[in-house]
Amino acid sequence: ELHYPEHVNVVTELVDRHVSEGRGDNVAIRFEDEEITYAELQRQVNRLGSGLVNLGVEPGDRVVVRFTNRPEAIVSCLAAQKIGAVALPSMKLLRAAELVHIINNAEASTVVVYDALLDEIDEALPRTDAVENVVVVERNGVEHDHTDYDELTAAADDDLDAYQTTRDDLALMLYTSGTTGEPKGATHTHRQVLATADSYARYCLNPTEADVFGGNPPLPFAYGYGDLVTMPLRFGATTSLVENASPGDLLQAVEDHGITIICSIPTAYNQILQNYPDGPEEYDTSSLRMAISAGEPLTPSTFNKFKDSYGVEIYDGIGTTEMLHIFVSHREGQDIDPGATGYPVPGYECKVVDPDTGDELPRGEAGLLAVRGPTGISYWNRPEKQENALVDGWSLPGDIYIHREDGRLEYKAREDDLIISSGYNIPGPEVESVLQELDEVSEVAVVGAPDEERGQVVKAFVILADGFEASDELTESLQNHVKNTLAPYKYPRRVEYVDELPRTETGKIQRVKLRERERQ
Ligand code: 3SK
């Protein structure tokens, strides 16, 4: 079990401690050609924190932080937390209507925003009474009549004592992008933010000061916040930020910043493999020691191809915005079985339960995953959602898993992605994983399509890899590959070739949209 003192402020632990213990010259953030040491990060956090206090921001206030992956995003979250306020990073693609919902639901008093993303805030402001301060980081010459970040911080003090938050005070709020429904604010305390580093990162990644974490998950995505803020800073390591990273940008950052732990999602690893199959010949990726994947299940074929091309293993993990980070994964040094997500992360307990009774199922049987540990579901101001979110203290993320005899947890499908065809239960992702093995397939999503005879049939939406064309022969060969690899009833009776798949901003395939399309 993890223990924290009654009073703890996450910023004391992530920044100030490194400076006071002699690690002030370690590089905390690398962004383009810029290097920000821990001492400099502390100074920037103190100045913005003091500036926010001067504006009247109070402990407990919610501060919306709206940026691309740039250093000021980290500084803004940490400055809010250091003065006892709650950082609320917002995804950059959110439109004014969504921002209005979030600002009103959170009753956010303050917004710190990158000028390139100001438009939607300006459109949202007349539709809310909550916001008292807007601070703009002007880097693109966007004109505005709000408080200027550079002026605010230039006039503020370099010294700032961390507010004496308790371990159970809120530090972070993240609205679930979800695949459906109204966004809900998942809240996280100072203790819980630290716990993600002290459980998952410490035991699964074994980080040291020498590590450089880098990748492209957006910082407002819990996965990105953990891997690119909390985890590197907890260990006095470096985070490498890349704005709007394409696969090439990511590999360039590995070379330029010496990334040792790369974090991304399966689609991006597949794009890297397709665009740079001989990556290490085009970019120097020798600094990499491991890769992390989350957001969507990683297929064994992506794991194997990446290991062959790049010489490192991808550690898959499952996490949720509500749990804040990954709670099932393999640990560094363990024998990775790419057919499974891994073991419960130390500190977490997992069980697989019968969806109807909630009883734990015997090992080897598929059911709903239930999890509990140092982080957990706590929604802001949504009592009706909170009530059903926990069952006897266990969170149910909505995924179907098998708890194997060897202790590993094997992913089957999202609860909604199970296809029931002629009485057979067919996990869509299992079929996706097999189709993904083929060179012809760049990306694929498999859903159930309504069918009079069978109830549902398996339908695959396929994006072809460069150089391949759709044809009946190709469809037949995809179908045969599935029939020869899995139980034949799982083969996709329907195949549609598409140019893109609907995705959330965090990269999750919105299978719900594909299912809706099929129902029309
Ligand atoms: O939502 C997810 O997929 C996720 C994965 C890992 C860590 C955090 C999150 C939210």
Side-chain angles (χ1 to χ4, degrees):
E1 216 179 301
L2 300 168
H3 292 286
Y4 298 96
E6 194 184 335
H7 284 95
V8 64
N9 185 303
V10 71
V11 184
T12 315
E13 298 299 311
L14 300 185
V15 183
D16 301 344
R17 178 182 292 282
H18 297 302
V19 179
S20 63
E21 291 179 0
R23 292 183 290 279
D25 290 338
N26 283 12
V27 176
I29 304 176
R30 298 198 65 173
F31 176 67
E32 299 173 350
D33 295 334
E34 207 182 328
E35 280 187 1
I36 301 177
T37 62
Y38 276 85
E40 174 59 16
L41 177 61
Q42 183 186 49
R43 202 181 68 86
Q44 292 189 21
V45 168
N46 287 355
R47 283 185 166 270
L48 180 60
S50 308
L52 292 175
V53 171
N54 293 343
L55 286 179
V57 181
E58 300 205 345
D61 277 10
R62 274 75 61 204
V63 177
V64 172
V65 173
R66 182 166 163 78
F67 283 89
T68 49
N69 281 14
R70 333 174 27 92
E72 300 93 335
I74 298 184
V75 172
S76 304
C77 290
L78 297 175
Q81 291 163 338
K82 189 160 185 178
I83 62 169
V86 185
L88 197 172
S90 105
M91 297 295 282
K92 71 171 189 226
L93 292 186
L94 292 186
R95 302 278 74 104
E98 294 153 307
L99 289 167
V100 170
H101 167 80
I102 290 173
I103 289 171
N104 284 338
N105 180 258
E107 296 170 86
S109 76
T110 302
V111 176
V112 188
V113 54
Y114 180 42
D115 65 351
L117 302 177
L118 180 60
D119 272 8
E120 302 290 332
I121 290 289
D122 274 340
E123 212 181 310
L125 286 176
R127 289 147 71 185
T128 168
D129 291 332
V131 177
E132 290 161 25
N133 314 292
V134 177
V135 180
V136 180
V137 174
E138 199 186 305
R139 297 288 176 265
N140 303 283
V142 173
E143 294 203 357
H144 62 88
D145 50 12
H146 303 293
T147 304
D148 182 77
Y149 177 100
D150 293 328
E151 286 171 18
L152 180 75
T153 51
D157 216 319
D158 266 359
D159 294 319
L160 175 70
D161 288 335
Y163 183 77
Q164 286 292 290
T165 39
T166 74
R167 61 190 168 206
D168 295 321
D169 284 339
L170 297 189
L172 182 67
M173 234 166 117
L174 298 168
Y175 276 76
T176 53
S177 60
T179 43
T180 50
E182 219 176 40
K184 301 182 285 294
T187 64
H188 303 288
T189 61
H190 287 258
R191 175 177 62 78
Q192 289 172 326
V193 173
L194 292 172
T196 59
D198 296 339
S199 56
Y200 169 70
R202 184 177 302 280
Y203 293 103
C204 298
L205 313 179
N206 282 324
T208 70
E209 281 177 53
D211 272 310
V212 181
F213 288 68
N216 57 356
L219 295 178
F221 179 22
Y223 177 42
Y225 196 89
D227 285 349
L228 299 174
V229 184
T230 316
M231 298 182 189
L233 300 188
R234 181 60 163 160
F235 297 94
T238 303
T239 185
S240 146
L241 297 183
V242 192
E243 257 179 322
N244 314 318
S246 67
D249 297 336
L250 214 49
L251 293 175
Q252 189 66 57
V254 174
E255 177 172 308
D256 293 346
H257 295 164
I259 292 171
T260 58
I261 304 180
I262 185 169
C263 323
S264 200
I265 57 172
T267 322
Y269 287 118
N270 285 327
Q271 284 169 353
I272 288 178
L273 286 165
Q274 278 201 354
N275 295 319
Y276 307 97
D278 308 312
E281 284 166 27
E282 289 173 70
Y283 294 95
D284 180 359
T285 57
S286 57
S287 56
L288 286 178
R289 73 172 178 87
M290 66 197 303
I292 306 172
S293 179
E296 283 271 309
L298 185 79
T299 64
S301 81
T302 307
F303 174 91
N304 290 325
K305 286 180 196 163
F306 200 80
K307 190 171 173 189
D308 288 349
S309 290
Y310 284 84
V312 290
E313 295 185 308
I314 306 181
Y315 287 71
D316 191 14
I318 173 173
T320 62
T321 306
E322 289 84 346
M323 298 301 290
L324 189 54
H325 213 269
I326 290 173
F327 50 84
V328 176
S329 169
H330 285 90
R331 293 163 62 168
E332 204 213 4
Q334 267 172 347
D335 190 14
I336 297 186
D337 176 345
T341 313
Y343 303 92
V345 165
Y348 288 86
E349 285 174 87
C350 291
K351 61 181 183 177
V352 168
V353 301
D354 181 316
D356 298 323
T357 63
D359 293 338
E360 186 165 359
L361 290 169
R363 294 276 171 119
E365 276 188 36
L368 269 185
L369 181 68
V371 56
R372 67 178 177 195
T375 56
I377 300 184
S378 178
Y379 293 122
W380 176 270
N381 210 359
R382 293 295 292 270
E384 78 291 359
K385 294 282 173 194
Q386 182 67 28
E387 210 177 306
N388 303 324
L390 287 175
V391 179
D392 298 332
W394 294 81
S395 305
L396 299 170
D399 296 278
I400 296 175
Y401 264 85
I402 286 179
H403 205 168
R404 290 193 194 159
E405 290 295 349
D406 67 7
R408 291 184 174 90
L409 286 145
E410 182 183 316
Y411 178 76
K412 285 293 166 198
R414 288 281 308 159
E415 203 179 2
D416 308 334
D417 294 338
L418 199 66
I419 303 162
I420 303 175
S421 182
S422 299
Y424 290 113
N425 283 351
I426 305 170
E430 193 180 333
V431 182
E432 287 169 12
S433 172
V434 169
L435 288 170
Q436 191 78 65
E437 290 167 2
L438 299 169
D439 290 341
E440 293 88 333
V441 175
S442 165
E443 288 175 46
V444 57
V446 169
V447 299
D451 182 77
E452 273 194 18
E453 195 186 332
R454 296 184 165 81
Q456 283 187 311
V457 288
V458 178
K459 171 151 185 184
F461 291 86
V462 175
I463 303 181
L464 287 173
D466 287 346
F468 293 98
E469 274 187 25
S471 67
D472 290 345
E473 291 71 39
L474 179 61
T475 299
E476 204 177 322
S477 92
L478 302 187
Q479 290 171 323
N480 285 339
H481 179 64
V482 178
K483 282 186 198 167
N484 294 333
T485 314
L486 299 172
Y489 62 80
K490 296 182 179 172
Y491 87 92
R493 285 172 191 271
R494 298 184 200 158
V495 176
E496 183 176 331
Y497 298 98
V498 291
D499 293 330
E500 59 179 357
L501 294 171
R503 286 184 182 276
T504 64
E505 198 180 341
T506 59
K508 290 180 202 289
I509 299 175
Q510 291 171 303
R511 294 181 184 79
V512 66
K513 289 208 169 149
L514 297 173
R515 277 195 296 271
E516 271 164 17
R517 243 183 62 182
E518 290 305 301
R519 275 200 293 271
Q520 278 159 12

